Amino acid sequence: MHPSRPEKVRFAPSPTGFFHVGSARTILYNWLVARKSGGSLLLRIDDTDAERNREEWVDGIYRAIQWLGLDWDEGPIRQSSRIEQYQSVAFDLLHKGAAYWCDCTREAIEERKAPGTPPGYDGFCRDRGLGQGPGRALRFRVPDGPVIVSDLIRGEVTFPSGSIEDFVLLKSSLAPLYVLANVVDDIDFAITTVLRAEEHLPTTPKAVLIHQALASPIPRFGHLPVLVNEQRRKLSKRRDRVAVEDYRQLGYLPEPMINYLALLGWNPGDDREFFALDELVHAFTLERVGHSPAFFDEQRLLHFNKSYLASLSPAAFATVAHPFVASLIALHAEGEERFVQIAPEVQTRIGTLSELPAMIGFLFHFDPNYQEIVKRLRADDIGYLARVSAALQDLEHFTEEEIETCLRDVAASLATSLRKLQAPIRLAITGAPVGPPLFSSMAILGQDECVTRLDSLYRVASNE
Ligand code: GLU
């Protein structure tokens, strides 16, 4: 890309469902092109399909873009508010001879079709000279000859002569079809580069033909590689987790999400993995976007999220983590203090923030299932619990270091290892066999609470 030419790009989602990770990648790449070239990004809402569109999905688009940390420079414009403009361009095409009215029903088209002929419309009404009327759609008159789409990512893609039917521009209701609407908008908003999902490649020759018929400059097109799942099947909302909102709720953060999405199709040309958004602006080029399907690997996304969480300052981590445990923290009078103390202990232990409630909940609210916990105890554990409780009661300073020293001494006197001794203590203190570092957790809980929890489990386990 030539850095001195400001690109005008657009992101044009249809509000028909939750904001998809593929859409997130599309806006990201557009945004990067706009920022890198000193150009601008238009947000367009492709909302002409009244039956499938919902206002809440439109809000979801704005929310997702904001959450990702991206923005737009112009718009949002709504296609639904520009229907008359699309109709007017369609009539222009009619007057230029590039379109004609057609009254063929789907059934009539099917009936005429000889076996083995290509699917699509046969051009029956091309020269019938029909005028506008009920039940008549306006079709584009596709000229003879191949259509060549020059794609920034795929190179030249040739659509052979005859492979594109005379497609509909306006339905008989005069509702414009989306290929027309998109071309009109791309012209009116002076779009220089169209970067969008690969699924739109088949309609691109139609867009090129409309541009040519209107004698308007053709924007550069780039079709981004399809996202596939582990089975190499196109990501689908029925099979795969695709909603950006789901990832947000699971406790993924926008920065690693952006970082991961950037690498889904683009490669930096070296081994570098971690990029902040401003670094991506610098490094990103369309030349390094490939066309092979990109595997959306949740495990790799998790790796990015985990690494990002670990890289935050303790204060920044506490800030992003807080909403995920706010309702738990509120259950305890010293909840905020405890949270601030435990946060750095768990920062490097989680992949997503939604793991936190199960991991640190015992600090704020403790209601263990003793029947289940007792099943995990080994024969010696019950005696250990009593010894540990007694030893901890004597501690003068209930700090992490003193707790550890004390437990080492107890382990030695019982001729067991600290590790073996820790297992029943952890169950008593946290209610679970794994969790955050034990000694610091105990120090945060305080002496009384630790002793009470140890004694409670001891009583249940020894049937006292
Ligand atoms: N509205 C289309 C979509 O959501 C995008 C069309 C385009 O970018 O040209 O898939």
Side-chain angles (χ1 to χ4, degrees):
M1 194 192 329
H2 199 282
S4 63
R5 179 185 159 189
E7 296 282 352
K8 174 91 181 272
V9 293
R10 87 290 196 282
F11 173 58
S14 306
T16 53
F18 278 117
F19 196 84
H20 191 287
V21 288
S23 300
R25 185 196 53 180
T26 302
I27 186 174
L28 172 62
Y29 284 20
N30 275 289
W31 189 92
L32 291 171
V33 167
R35 292 293 166 268
K36 180 156 188 160
S37 68
S40 61
L41 170 71
L42 166 76
L43 176 62
R44 186 179 87 205
I45 306 292
D46 284 1
D47 59 350
T48 49
D49 187 347
E51 274 168 31
R52 294 178 64 221
N53 295 166
R54 294 229 300 260
E55 241 4 75
E56 65 190 87
W57 303 133
V58 178
D59 292 338
I61 292 168
Y62 303 149
R63 265 204 317 275
I65 296 174
Q66 195 184 25
W67 179 75
L68 287 164
L70 303 176
D71 54 7
W72 60 91
D73 308 294
E74 192 180 337
I77 60 156
R78 305 281 289 245
Q79 284 197 324
S80 56
S81 70
R82 291 178 40 81
I83 303 291
E84 284 171 14
Q85 173 63 4
Y86 309 140
Q87 289 167 337
S88 132
V89 173
F91 281 97
D92 251 18
L93 288 165
L94 176 69
H95 296 135
K96 286 185 157 84
Y100 60 89
W101 293 106
C102 163
D103 65 357
C104 297
T105 59
R106 203 185 297 267
E107 296 73 34
I109 299 170
E110 284 312 308
E111 263 172 37
R112 281 199 301 270
K113 203 153 265 162
T117 47
Y121 183 61
D122 58 1
F124 184 80
C125 293
R126 268 191 157 206
D127 302 310
R128 289 178 66 208
L130 294 178
Q132 184 180 353
R136 292 180 181 176
L138 189 69
R139 285 186 183 271
F140 186 84
R141 190 188 298 276
V142 174
D144 283 342
V147 184
I148 296 171
V149 172
S150 180
D151 190 276
L152 290 163
I153 294 160
R154 271 145 239 273
E156 282 196 350
V157 186
T158 303
F159 295 83
S161 193
S163 65
I164 302 159
E165 64 171 342
D166 283 356
F167 55 91
V168 173
L169 296 168
L170 297 179
K171 294 186 195 168
S172 57
S173 62
L174 298 188
L177 270 285
Y178 101 89
V179 62
L180 170 69
N182 284 6
V183 170
V184 173
D185 285 338
D186 289 344
I187 294 171
D188 288 355
F189 292 90
I191 300 302
T192 58
T193 296
V194 171
L195 279 184
R196 58 184 178 184
E198 181 179 278
E199 67 195 31
H200 297 293
L201 184 58
T203 60
T204 305
K206 299 178 185 173
V208 167
L209 289 169
I210 300 174
H211 276 288
Q212 284 170 344
L214 293 169
S216 82
I218 299 172
R220 306 191 310 163
F221 285 97
H223 289 90
L224 305 177
V226 65
L227 301 185
V228 295
N229 66 14
E230 217 158 9
Q231 289 87 40
R232 312 303 286 173
R233 290 165 79 185
K234 187 175 171 187
L235 283 194
S236 116
K237 62 178 166 201
R238 280 174 305 282
R239 280 192 300 265
D240 308 298
R241 198 189 333 263
V242 295
V244 168
E245 177 63 19
D246 286 349
Y247 286 97
R248 189 182 73 76
Q249 284 183 12
L250 276 172
Y252 286 85
L253 289 182
E255 294 84 355
M257 185 72 149
I258 287 278
N259 191 162
Y260 180 60
L261 289 170
L263 297 168
L264 277 180
W266 171 76
N267 77 79
D270 55 31
D271 297 341
R272 187 162 169 206
E273 244 190 337
F274 298 110
F275 291 88
L277 192 53
D278 56 339
E279 294 168 332
L280 284 172
V281 172
H282 187 71
F284 186 82
T285 62
L286 284 176
E287 285 79 10
R288 292 203 160 277
V289 177
H291 55 77
S292 355
F295 171 31
F296 185 84
D297 182 354
E298 270 194 60
Q299 288 309 312
R300 188 140 189 251
L301 175 59
L302 189 66
H303 155 75
F304 277 93
N305 206 58
K306 191 173 194 323
S307 307
Y308 182 79
L309 289 173
S311 76
L312 291 173
S313 70
F317 175 76
T319 304
V320 294
H322 195 276
F324 285 79
V325 276
S327 54
L328 269 175
I329 292 173
L331 296 175
H332 197 279
E334 284 156 27
E336 293 294 344
E337 291 87 327
R338 289 187 172 188
F339 171 65
V340 170
Q341 287 173 283
I342 196 68
E345 305 286 344
V346 293
Q347 185 173 350
T348 56
R349 288 181 148 71
I350 52 169
T352 65
L353 294 169
S354 61
E355 292 169 39
L356 281 176
M359 188 176 276
I360 64 174
F362 68 92
L363 289 170
F364 311 101
H365 172 71
F366 196 59
D367 182 17
N369 182 343
Y370 280 118
Q371 301 317 314
E372 288 306 309
I373 293 175
V374 166
K375 285 187 206 155
R376 290 179 180 272
L377 294 176
R378 289 159 309 177
D380 291 340
D381 286 348
I382 300 171
Y384 292 174
L385 287 169
R387 286 287 293 271
V388 168
S389 169
L392 289 178
Q393 285 179 49
D394 292 340
L395 279 189
E396 217 169 295
H397 304 288
F398 205 69
T399 60
E400 195 180 325
E401 295 73 25
E402 293 221 356
I403 294 167
E404 178 169 354
T405 313
C406 167
L407 295 182
R408 276 189 195 286
D409 292 348
V410 174
S413 71
L414 291 167
T416 186
S417 68
L418 184 60
R419 202 171 55 81
K420 285 209 175 114
L421 187 66
Q422 275 194 70
I425 304 176
R426 182 181 287 285
L427 284 170
I429 298 292
T430 72
V434 288
L438 184 60
F439 309 137
S440 48
S441 300
M442 292 170 75
I444 294 169
L445 272 177
Q447 197 160 19
D448 292 348
E449 215 161 323
C450 287
V451 168
T452 306
R453 290 186 187 190
L454 288 161
D455 291 348
S456 300
L457 180 57
Y458 173 80
R459 270 198 302 278
V460 178
S462 59
N463 286 322
E464 256 184 34

